[in-house]
Amino acid sequence: MTTLATRAELVKLAALLDIPVDQLTYLEGYQPGELRALRESITDRLFESDRKRLVGIATASKLVPVGISARIAELAFPAPLAARVSGLLEPSRAVDLARKVSIPFLAEMTPYLDPRRVSAIIERIPSDIVVKVGRILGDAGEHITMGRFVSYVNKDAIAQTAAVLSDASLLRTGFVLEDPAVLPEMVRLLPPERLRGVIRAAYEEELWPEALNMLDHLDDAARGLLADIAAGEEAAVLDGMVAVAHEEDLWEIALPVARTMNPDSRKRFAALPTFGRPEVLAKVVRTAADKELWPELLPLVPLLPVEARREVARIALELGPDVQERVLAEASEHNLWAPLVTIAAALGDDVPWENLPWDIGQIVARMGEAEMDAFLGDVADADLWGDVLSIAERVPDEHVARLARQAVALDVEAIMSRVIDAADHTGLWAEGLGLLARLDGATLEELAVHAAALPADLRRRVIDAATRLGMLDDLGPISAALA
């Protein structure tokens, strides 16, 4: 698999050699750093060739006024020669010459400059000249050239140049930056509406690899902002990202992007039809296993449609005990217990409890108060009460009672309706009513008020189920409230 960083280096090397990038496929196995070193070595060789003659030209240019030198350079020198000579001039004279030659000629010269050799010149070039040259380079598709110079240009010039470039040009330039570490700063310079344009360009112009490369180099705050913008567009935009991540094996980048989304955006992402396809989930889960990205994947699991959860559970069983132990360790370290309950519940009656990779009962039993609160918060956020009821029989009675008491303490008003709704939708009345029956008398009195507020038809179904199961008396004051 060719990484995005390797792909970017091959694109830059092909441009330097003036050949199609597909002629360099034999180099795909090399690391990005190795390819960059090769490219810089070739650049050094090119610039050092015929150096003596170039020094002579640079020395001669000092003998005439700047204006005349600029005129001679523009009329008599081809752009590649003018670029190489400029790197041998004193920075102050080179800047004076840059002010005198035409902007189109400067733009023509720029692809032949090595910014490492002219950094002292670049930092003195006025921002208005940088912006004018940048506009011409952007229109000409010279994204590699712009990518080489970004690290040497001041922030003001970067912001002004970004304003005159198209959204697609920004993505293409970001992909081939010499120093991707400047990407967070570049993104911070863009207003929100411009960021939305960048996301739209990724979708409309099929530039998701370039966009994912950019997202990969951002901090969580910037990455989350862009991910939420993408999630706010129509479903086809996020679906496009999922399709590219699947086709080009980019889940190592896409999963951390999903983790930084806000809760609503993450729900939209998990509900995408493309993301729920079995072949996509298989690649996602195996990427999480290979790259140790369980903290990124696990929070998505409870948000998946039921069939997708079952697929994740099936794949998890196939991965073997070593990977399953790693998942358990990550869940413990990051307090991600709810996804494990979801995985166990998704298997339904297809897999015996003893064949599950984790003892769910023991997991719940070992939770401390803070862990239990976090677990119940996740259950409430993702509405996983049906899953909790389905695993309740595996949890020792005293811990089920503790779970129920803490749930009531967190949200006494909601717990009644949520547990009853879950039991009603799943048919797990014995588990749901059993959860309530384990509560103490004072808590049952408190819940009775909320039981009385349930819809009349739901109250009748609760009474019928409790009567059928012989549990009516166990519910104490709740039974009276339901009547």
Side-chain angles (χ1 to χ4, degrees):
M1 180 184 72
T2 306
T3 67
L4 290 178
T6 297
R7 189 186 308 179
E9 283 299 332
L10 290 175
V11 168
K12 289 185 276 190
L13 181 57
L16 176 64
L17 300 174
D18 196 22
I19 61 174
V21 70
D22 58 13
Q23 291 186 18
L24 298 178
T25 53
Y26 64 94
L27 295 176
E28 288 178 350
Y30 287 88
Q31 294 298 312
E34 295 171 319
L35 295 172
R36 177 171 180 157
L38 172 63
R39 176 167 54 83
E40 291 179 346
S41 176
I42 294 172
T43 300
D44 290 340
R45 185 67 64 87
L46 290 172
F47 273 84
E48 290 303 319
S49 65
D50 211 13
R51 180 182 174 86
K52 184 176 181 181
R53 182 171 69 91
L54 296 176
V55 170
I57 296 173
T59 302
S61 73
K62 299 177 183 178
L63 303 178
V64 295
V66 170
I68 295 176
S69 290
R71 186 65 175 161
I72 292 172
E74 195 161 347
L75 291 176
F77 289 4
L81 178 60
R84 293 178 66 188
V85 171
S86 68
L88 299 171
L89 297 174
E90 289 294 326
S92 59
R93 184 170 180 83
V95 172
D96 289 341
L97 282 168
R99 294 174 184 270
K100 295 294 184 180
V101 299
S102 69
I103 296 297
F105 188 66
L106 268 182
E108 190 179 353
M109 287 173 53
T110 303
Y112 301 101
L113 290 170
D114 180 359
R116 297 174 301 164
R117 298 166 184 269
V118 295
S119 59
I121 299 172
I122 297 170
E123 63 188 21
R124 302 185 191 188
I125 298 292
S127 293
D128 64 315
I129 294 178
V130 174
V131 174
K132 292 173 183 176
V133 170
R135 185 195 295 271
I136 294 174
L137 293 175
D139 291 343
E142 287 284 354
H143 307 110
I144 293 173
T145 299
M146 292 191 291
R148 289 165 52 226
F149 279 85
V150 166
S151 298
Y152 299 89
V153 176
N154 64 67
K155 292 180 184 178
D156 181 58
I158 291 174
Q160 292 182 49
T161 304
V164 302
L165 295 178
S166 70
D167 297 323
S169 284
L170 286 177
L171 277 174
R172 291 188 171 103
T173 300
F175 184 64
V176 290
L177 286 176
E178 282 295 280
D179 181 13
V182 304
L183 273 169
E185 185 63 34
M186 288 182 64
V187 168
R188 281 190 285 272
L189 293 172
L190 299 175
E193 189 56 35
R194 193 66 199 280
L195 294 176
R196 180 177 180 273
V198 168
I199 293 298
R200 295 292 310 181
Y203 166 61
E204 293 170 355
E205 303 199 31
E206 299 183 351
L207 295 173
W208 271 119
E210 288 80 355
L212 284 167
N213 174 73
M214 177 179 68
L215 289 163
D216 190 36
H217 288 94
L218 299 180
D219 54 44
D220 279 358
R223 186 184 295 134
L225 173 62
L226 279 167
D228 288 338
I229 289 173
E233 298 293 309
E234 65 265 31
V237 174
L238 270 184
D239 244 354
M241 186 184 84
V242 170
V244 169
H246 176 67
E247 292 162 8
E248 304 203 22
D249 287 326
L250 298 177
W251 283 113
E252 185 177 0
I253 298 173
L255 278 177
V257 170
R259 176 181 56 80
T260 59
M261 292 176 174
N262 66 43
D264 288 340
S265 297
R266 202 156 45 237
K267 286 178 183 177
R268 288 194 66 194
F269 182 84
L272 289 171
T274 303
F275 188 66
R277 283 161 40 197
E279 65 272 22
V280 172
L281 290 174
K283 190 171 287 187
V284 168
V285 175
R286 287 182 169 82
T287 299
D290 293 341
K291 304 298 181 180
E292 297 190 355
L293 293 175
W294 295 112
E296 280 71 26
L297 174 58
L298 286 175
L300 289 171
V301 176
L303 307 177
L304 292 170
V306 173
E307 286 306 312
R309 294 186 207 173
R310 292 177 66 85
E311 185 65 19
V312 170
R314 183 189 63 77
I315 298 168
L317 285 181
E318 293 177 352
L319 291 175
D322 290 344
V323 171
Q324 292 159 10
E325 285 301 314
R326 185 61 191 165
V327 174
L328 187 61
E330 293 287 357
S332 176
E333 181 178 349
H334 299 279
N335 216 349
L336 293 169
W337 299 115
L340 298 191
V341 170
T342 299
I343 290 173
L347 292 168
D349 297 327
D350 296 342
V351 178
W353 282 109
E354 57 270 19
N355 291 347
L356 291 177
W358 311 285
D359 188 329
I360 298 297
Q362 288 303 311
I363 286 175
V364 174
R366 289 199 299 265
M367 285 184 187
E369 185 172 338
E371 287 180 310
M372 183 73 80
D373 280 350
F375 166 69
L376 290 169
D378 291 340
V379 167
D381 289 343
D383 194 17
L384 300 177
W385 281 107
D387 293 340
V388 171
L389 296 184
S390 70
I391 61 96
E393 67 184 57
R394 288 291 296 167
V395 182
D397 285 354
E398 66 271 21
H399 295 295
V400 171
R402 184 167 66 93
L403 184 152
R405 283 194 300 272
Q406 277 192 243
V408 169
L410 283 175
D411 193 348
V412 66
E413 183 174 357
I415 191 66
M416 186 73 209
S417 60
R418 287 182 173 179
V419 170
I420 294 300
D421 282 341
D424 191 35
H425 288 132
T426 61
L428 297 172
W429 285 109
E431 291 79 5
L433 297 178
L435 195 67
L436 297 175
R438 289 179 173 91
L439 296 169
D440 58 71
T443 305
L444 289 174
E445 289 280 0
E446 193 173 1
L447 285 178
V449 176
H450 304 292
L454 294 174
D457 57 338
L458 181 55
R459 294 203 307 272
R460 282 195 300 272
R461 289 197 294 276
V462 178
I463 290 289
D464 290 343
T467 301
R468 183 176 69 254
L469 295 167
M471 299 180 66
L472 200 57
D473 291 341
D474 297 334
L475 298 177
I478 290 180
S479 296
L482 290 168

